[in-house]
Amino acid sequence: MVQPMTVFERQNETVKNKLAKLCEETGLKWSEALLLALMVMLPYPNCTIYLTPYEIKHLQDDVDWKLRAMDWNVTAMDRSLPSALYMLSLDRIRLESRIKYVLQIIQVVYYPILAILGVPVTSATIAILSRGKCGLSKCVTCYLVSMAAADLLVVILDLISRHIPIAYKEQFYILESVPVCNIHAVLLYAATDCSVWFTVTFTFDRFVAICWQKLKTKYCTERMAGGVLGTVTVLSCLKNIFWYFMLTGRYSLKNDPWFCDVTIIVVFSRVWMMIEFLHHILTPAVPFVLILLLNIFTVRHILVSSRARKRLRAHDNGERSRDPEMESRRKSIILLFVISANFMLFWSMLMVYSLCRRMWLLGNRSMFINAYVQEMGFMLQLLSCCTNTCIYAVTQTKFREQFKSVLKCPYTSTVSLLNDLRK
């Protein structure tokens, strides 16, 4: 009877395959390409048991003994959720690995729930805002609709088409035979850039409306908003074309750090690493700084103007009465600050990891951050795409009423249909 290969025999087979691929791509002899193959494989965990070569080496006796005792073969280990649960049961797993496996288990439940809620809720938000009955100006409505549409694209292209297949590898292995990963990457990162930079343009629009009254009538218009949003969309698409040439068409179904396969030339190319590093600086590092600065300037202007108006009103009326103009602008200011805070809170972890990871790949070994931070960053970033509806419902009374009517619509339609049938 032929015995199934152990985990370590499979690892040796993987090394051989990687070595053959390197020799074919670079023209090197196997003895010269061996070091490159080991360097490529060293930091990345195995796709079935989620152990790096270092962990396999130091946990060999314990892992092999337990796998044999439970009679687990390779097919049994191919299920990501059971394998993650099993690895958590091992005594000699490091804390970083335990956190990674816990996150894998959470993602199996978290991502589908987020997709089930995110798509209909964001679609309803787009429909409600597009009707223009929420008491917002046409300019603000244009920005909010565009932000919601970009968030919906991120949910579809990133959450549903990328992270759910990674969480359910075995059910989506067919994707590895569909050679469109690099095209998917261009669309995904373009949608992400639009989502981020639409938030920046909305923040700048509100900054102009609050701080620059003379420019407000010319800039804060529906036509100008459409032009700005269209320009951002075109630039985002052009900026991310490089992914088509950097990545291959084959899905790798993991984030190490890309979800597409790459050639060995890209892995060791400083040029490609620098281009990608600039990509992560432009999104989300630069928007993060811009939103922070714009909000600081806006708060400063509000405080200064509020004190001046209080002094004038106290001088005119002899007492401190309420300022109707500030009251009318209060909800708009709250909406601006909450949207900005939502972006900075949920994007900060992924931004820090992305920059540190790329600096580490460029040779700065002091910037190492564990990979589970990236997974936590992805979870928070995707959550930010689904929270704007809650923000609008909390800060905007008319939007909340419209949203309630949308939720009640299926119930009222069903009741009216039943009443008609009874008659």
Side-chain angles (χ1 to χ4, degrees), residues 243-309:
W243 291 107
Y244 180 84
F245 303 99
M246 177 178 171
L247 307 176
T248 67
R250 188 174 184 273
Y251 287 90
S252 64
L253 295 183
K254 57 184 178 180
N255 291 314
D256 286 331
W258 312 284
F259 65 102
C260 302
D261 280 345
V262 295
T263 63
I264 190 63
I265 297 175
V266 171
V267 173
F268 291 99
S269 172
R270 289 297 183 95
V271 176
W272 283 116
M273 289 299 104
M274 186 59 68
I275 292 174
E276 193 194 15
F277 183 63
L278 293 175
H279 162 79
H280 288 286
I281 290 178
L282 291 173
T283 306
V286 172
F288 191 93
V289 175
L290 289 176
I291 290 174
L292 182 61
L293 291 176
L294 289 172
N295 279 279
I296 290 174
F297 294 147
T298 303
V299 169
R300 180 179 177 276
H301 176 83
I302 291 172
L303 292 176
V304 172
S305 60
S306 178
R307 290 170 186 169
R309 291 179 65 84

Side-chain angles (χ1 to χ4, degrees), residues 36 62 69 93 160 183 281 290 292 349 403:
L36 292 177
D62 189 35
I93 295 293
I160 297 177
I183 299 175
I281 290 178
L290 289 176
L292 182 61
M349 183 175 292
F403 192 73

Side-chain angles (χ1 to χ4, degrees), residues 173-305:
Y173 270 139
I174 190 173
L175 286 179
E176 294 186 351
S177 61
V178 182
V180 295
C181 189
N182 48 358
I183 299 175
H184 180 190
V186 172
L187 297 175
L188 187 158
Y189 290 116
T192 303
D193 280 7
C194 287
S195 176
V196 172
W197 282 96
F198 286 172
T199 305
V200 177
T201 55
F202 170 72
T203 306
F204 182 76
D205 178 85
R206 293 299 87 198
F207 169 74
V208 171
I210 295 171
C211 303
W212 289 357
Q213 293 297 318
K214 294 182 179 180
L215 187 60
K216 176 181 176 180
T217 55
K218 295 182 179 180
Y219 184 82
C220 300
T221 62
E222 185 179 12
R223 181 178 179 181
M224 180 62 73
V228 171
L229 293 169
T231 302
V232 170
T233 302
V234 172
L235 292 177
S236 297
C237 294
L238 294 175
K239 167 182 170 290
N240 289 283
I241 290 178
F242 80 93
W243 291 107
Y244 180 84
F245 303 99
M246 177 178 171
L247 307 176
T248 67
R250 188 174 184 273
Y251 287 90
S252 64
L253 295 183
K254 57 184 178 180
N255 291 314
D256 286 331
W258 312 284
F259 65 102
C260 302
D261 280 345
V262 295
T263 63
I264 190 63
I265 297 175
V266 171
V267 173
F268 291 99
S269 172
R270 289 297 183 95
V271 176
W272 283 116
M273 289 299 104
M274 186 59 68
I275 292 174
E276 193 194 15
F277 183 63
L278 293 175
H279 162 79
H280 288 286
I281 290 178
L282 291 173
T283 306
V286 172
F288 191 93
V289 175
L290 289 176
I291 290 174
L292 182 61
L293 291 176
L294 289 172
N295 279 279
I296 290 174
F297 294 147
T298 303
V299 169
R300 180 179 177 276
H301 176 83
I302 291 172
L303 292 176
V304 172
S305 60

